[in-house]
Amino acid sequence: MRFKNITVAGSGVLGSQIAYQTAFKGFEVSVYDINDDALNTAKERILKLKENYKADLNATDEDVDSAFERMSFNSDLSKAVEKADLVIEAIPEVVNIKTDFYEKLGKVAPEKTIFATNSSTLLPSQFAEATGRPEKFLALHFANEIWKNNTAEVMKHPGTDESVFTDVIEFAKAIGMVALPLHKEQPGYILNSLLVPFLDAAQTLLAREIADVETIDKTWMIGTGAPLGPFAILDVVGITTAYNIVAAKAQATGNPEAQKVADLMKREYIDQGKLGRATGEGFYKYPNPSFAQPDFLKG
């Protein structure tokens, strides 16, 4: 594997995690976002990750500090990618935003650079032509809390070069992931093919006013023994990401129920600044959410 310099484009919750995990495993990482405010927020988010790595991975102060020192931050795309062997895109789940980004990226990235999308639900073939290098493009999808939930789904599209596919699989292993090759395109990959319908069902129950957030989560946790219910999971994923997915579904299908869910998410959560665990409140309030209390599962 020939990768040394990695650029992560998009410094949100998962983008920050991808960048820090990659730096933690010894790679030089450039983090790109559209402005310095976004990058400053990312730096704060990443500094908080240090404590997770010490608690969950027994990392030392030297380990976590060295990882941060291998990171740089830039709001100029051409500078952010000037040395990149691989660019991992983790920007919003909106087709036109991604298309526009890839058109710009293809013009400024070195010829050698491979592009990978971390899209949760969109297919690489939707953006392959926009990249200007479809043979060097594929999907590399991570789960949230990447340092613990270390899956990396590597999915090619029909035009991906086989050597690129192999190199990205090896890269995923090099940053501590369990690499999961997908040989054909599948909306939602493996993880989200299972997870998204589950979360959709929970959001639909809420939008229909069948039950409240805590009751729905409690039902799932008691009935299956799962440590988190669907709304606690949505808080980890981030409510903006969940909203973008359901809003895109509503627009594409005209499904009134999906639109009802999207409207609820925007009105009651996004417009109120309740964006999930990363902001301190989503469906639950953090750092002490009710689902983590000892009596939550009691009658």
Side-chain angles (χ1 to χ4, degrees):
M1 186 194 64
R2 59 188 185 275
F3 303 156
K4 293 181 179 179
N5 297 292
I6 311 300
T7 296
V8 177
S11 63
V13 173
L14 195 49
S16 293
Q17 291 179 21
I18 296 166
Y20 189 69
Q21 176 71 18
T22 302
F24 185 76
K25 290 296 182 176
F27 291 84
E28 296 294 323
V29 178
S30 172
V31 180
Y32 166 77
D33 216 316
I34 56 175
N35 57 50
D36 290 340
D37 287 343
L39 291 172
N40 288 333
T41 299
K43 289 176 187 177
E44 294 173 7
R45 187 180 291 122
I46 290 166
L47 288 172
K48 291 177 182 177
L49 285 176
K50 289 182 176 184
E51 299 307 312
N52 296 105
Y53 276 65
K54 288 192 285 187
D56 296 332
L57 304 181
N58 295 317
T60 65
D61 287 332
E62 183 180 0
D63 292 335
V64 297
D65 291 342
S66 295
F68 191 75
E69 289 170 7
R70 284 189 285 272
M71 304 179 74
S72 60
F73 299 82
N74 210 307
S75 57
D76 182 322
L77 182 59
S78 61
K79 289 182 180 178
V81 303
E82 62 184 358
K83 295 181 181 179
D85 298 305
L86 172 67
V87 174
I88 302 171
E89 168 267 306
I91 66 175
E93 289 285 271
V94 179
V95 171
N96 63 333
I97 293 176
K98 287 187 187 289
T99 300
D100 181 65
F101 171 76
Y102 280 117
E103 289 173 349
K104 292 176 180 175
L105 177 64
K107 294 174 182 176
V108 298
E111 181 62 29
K112 67 175 181 177
T113 310
I114 291 168
F115 301 164
T117 179
N118 178 60
S119 172
S120 299
T121 56
L122 303 171
L123 298 176
S125 59
Q126 292 177 255
F127 310 103
E129 292 306 316
T131 68
R133 56 187 79 185
E135 74 285 354
K136 294 180 181 175
F137 179 59
L138 75 177
L140 175 59
H141 179 248
F142 299 93
N144 226 308
E145 298 192 341
I146 182 175
W147 66 95
K148 294 189 299 183
N149 304 325
N150 61 327
T151 61
E153 297 174 284
V154 185
M155 184 170 74
K156 59 185 177 179
H157 67 89
T160 304
D161 187 280
E162 194 65 30
S163 67
V164 169
F165 186 55
T166 300
D167 281 349
V168 174
I169 289 170
E170 291 307 309
F171 166 74
K173 294 176 182 178
I175 61 168
M177 300 294 104
V178 176
L180 305 167
L182 280 74
H183 300 283
K184 293 182 179 180
E185 287 192 307
Q186 164 64 32
Y189 310 72
I190 298 170
L191 179 60
N192 284 315
S193 290
L194 300 170
L195 180 61
V196 170
F198 166 61
L199 298 180
D200 277 351
Q203 293 170 85
T204 300
L205 288 169
L206 182 65
R208 288 180 181 172
E209 301 180 348
I210 303 300
D212 60 29
V213 164
E214 291 192 351
T215 301
I216 295 168
D217 274 9
K218 188 180 299 186
T219 302
W220 182 256
M221 292 166 71
I222 295 172
T224 67
L228 297 176
F231 291 104
I233 293 172
L234 282 163
D235 274 351
V236 175
V237 171
I239 292 174
T240 300
T241 296
Y243 167 75
N244 286 338
I245 291 171
V246 73
K249 176 182 175 181
Q251 183 176 11
T253 65
N255 184 321
E257 196 139 67
Q259 188 61 57
K260 187 174 182 179
V261 171
D263 292 343
L264 171 70
M265 298 279 277
K266 187 173 188 304
R267 182 181 67 250
E268 299 296 333
Y269 297 94
I270 291 176
D271 289 350
Q272 305 299 321
K274 301 176 181 178
L275 304 183
R277 185 175 291 197
T279 60
E281 185 173 3
F283 292 103
Y284 294 93
K285 291 184 179 181
Y286 299 88
N288 299 304
S290 59
F291 66 79
Q293 303 309 310
D295 61 349
F296 183 72
L297 300 183
K298 295 179 181 178

